[in-house]
Amino acid sequence: MKICVLVKEVPDAAVEKRIDPTTGRMDRSGEKNLNPYDTHAIEAAMQIREGGAVPVEEIVAITMGPESAVRALHKAVSLGADRSVHLSDPALAGSDVAATGYALAQTLEREKPELVLLGQQSDDGECYTIGAVVAEHLSMPSLTQVIKMDVDGESLRCERQAEYGYDTVQVTLPAVISVGDAINEPRYPSLKAIMGAKKKPLDAVGVADVGIDAARVGGEHSAARWIAVKPPPQKEAGKIIEDEDTGETVEEIVAWLDERKLL
């Protein structure tokens, strides 16, 4: 079995997310890191390999992004991927979810994996839909929010979270699976793995290399367009009750709730 894991470089969790008003795109000038949700997908791939139910010949990490995104690939390799593919091209800049899904699918077509894994969402866009878009282009079945996955011959038996509880689904390979963060606890890379990550094979490809139609990607050719952005309204400061008299404090709280018809 060949497993491809889609990963993404995102702004570090400590960096405040903001939109560049001149381009309508997320400002990515600060510290960046591997999308934390994708570490669960890499761990899931490693557990399939180590489980031994099927032989896994190769785990390939794939990303689409600017030159800096290579660091996310190095992190993915340090977590267990055997090699990586970096899709980067000026023509891809500003692509919306539909264009990004198409571009990634074209890259995956060249790899011919039996299984595609990715995190349930990215830590920046949080659109949750990229796996389904990729699956549509590859004509593969797709599952989201998967929290348990077992290999069963040429299929996967998956448990996924739903609004009403849990679904158990049998899906035939090849397939695209978006895993939830409850599926596992990602391992920490060893120092040896971190040091050796830059020496692992990394294939840098552009639009022409994987057969992407440039008229279907990029900001100018995306269906979703940025119109405007505004910050959420500021919340009013809360009321702090510092009275040490418990009885009076309770009365004041009850009166405050009653005034707002919350009782």
Side-chain angles (χ1 to χ4, degrees):
M1 175 186 285
K2 180 177 184 178
I3 303 175
C4 284
V5 183
L6 299 179
V7 301
K8 185 181 182 182
E9 178 191 63
V10 298
D12 188 82
V15 176
E16 182 180 356
K17 312 297 189 297
R18 76 177 193 89
I19 300 294
D20 185 336
T22 61
T23 63
R25 302 170 189 169
M26 183 168 288
D27 182 352
R28 302 180 183 276
S29 58
E31 187 68 25
K32 294 177 281 291
N33 208 338
L34 172 63
N35 178 37
Y37 293 96
D38 295 335
T39 62
H40 295 277
I42 298 169
E43 179 64 26
M46 291 296 293
Q47 289 184 8
I48 291 175
R49 165 180 278 172
E50 294 166 355
V54 293
V56 176
E57 292 82 13
E58 195 175 32
I59 298 174
V60 185
I62 298 177
T63 196
M64 171 179 147
E67 184 178 345
S68 63
V70 71
R71 290 177 297 185
L73 291 174
H74 288 157
K75 178 67 178 294
V77 169
S78 74
L79 289 170
D82 300 300
R83 63 180 179 89
S84 57
V85 178
H86 185 191
L87 173 61
S88 185
D89 196 299
L92 297 167
S95 294
D96 65 3
V97 174
T100 299
Y102 159 69
L104 288 171
Q106 289 296 109
T107 309
L108 287 163
E109 282 278 16
R110 193 179 71 155
E111 293 291 333
K112 304 296 184 187
E114 283 75 40
L115 178 61
V116 179
L117 297 174
L118 68 157
Q120 66 183 15
Q121 67 196 83
S122 63
D123 202 32
D124 50 1
E126 298 188 354
C127 68
Y128 290 83
T129 57
I130 195 70
V133 177
V134 168
E136 175 67 19
H137 285 290
L138 295 176
S139 298
M140 292 183 184
S142 172
L143 287 179
T144 60
Q145 299 286 75
V146 171
I147 60 168
K148 187 177 181 182
M149 185 167 50
D150 297 306
V151 180
D152 185 7
E154 296 184 357
S155 64
L156 293 175
R157 185 178 177 84
C158 301
E159 186 173 298
R160 62 179 301 275
Q161 288 179 315
E163 293 181 359
Y164 47 79
Y166 299 92
D167 293 328
T168 299
V169 184
Q170 192 93 0
V171 58
T172 303
L173 297 173
V176 179
I177 306 294
S178 301
V179 302
D181 54 1
I183 192 171
N184 54 42
E185 187 66 35
R187 66 193 68 192
Y188 289 98
S190 66
L191 179 59
K192 180 180 179 181
I194 294 172
M195 298 299 293
K198 293 183 179 181
K199 298 179 182 179
K200 290 288 186 74
L202 190 157
D203 189 8
V205 296
V207 165
D209 299 314
V210 293
I212 294 172
D213 181 356
R216 298 179 62 180
V217 295
E220 293 184 2
H221 303 113
S222 293
R225 299 297 176 93
W226 178 81
I227 303 298
V229 63
K230 61 180 180 179
Q234 291 187 343
K235 295 182 179 180
E236 295 182 5
K239 182 178 181 180
I240 299 176
I241 300 174
E242 298 180 347
D243 194 338
E244 294 183 1
D245 188 315
T246 303
E248 291 185 8
T249 299
V250 171
E251 290 179 5
E252 192 170 350
I253 292 173
V254 170
W256 187 91
L257 293 170
D258 187 47
E259 181 183 347
R260 288 158 179 78
K261 300 187 184 303
L262 298 174
L263 289 178

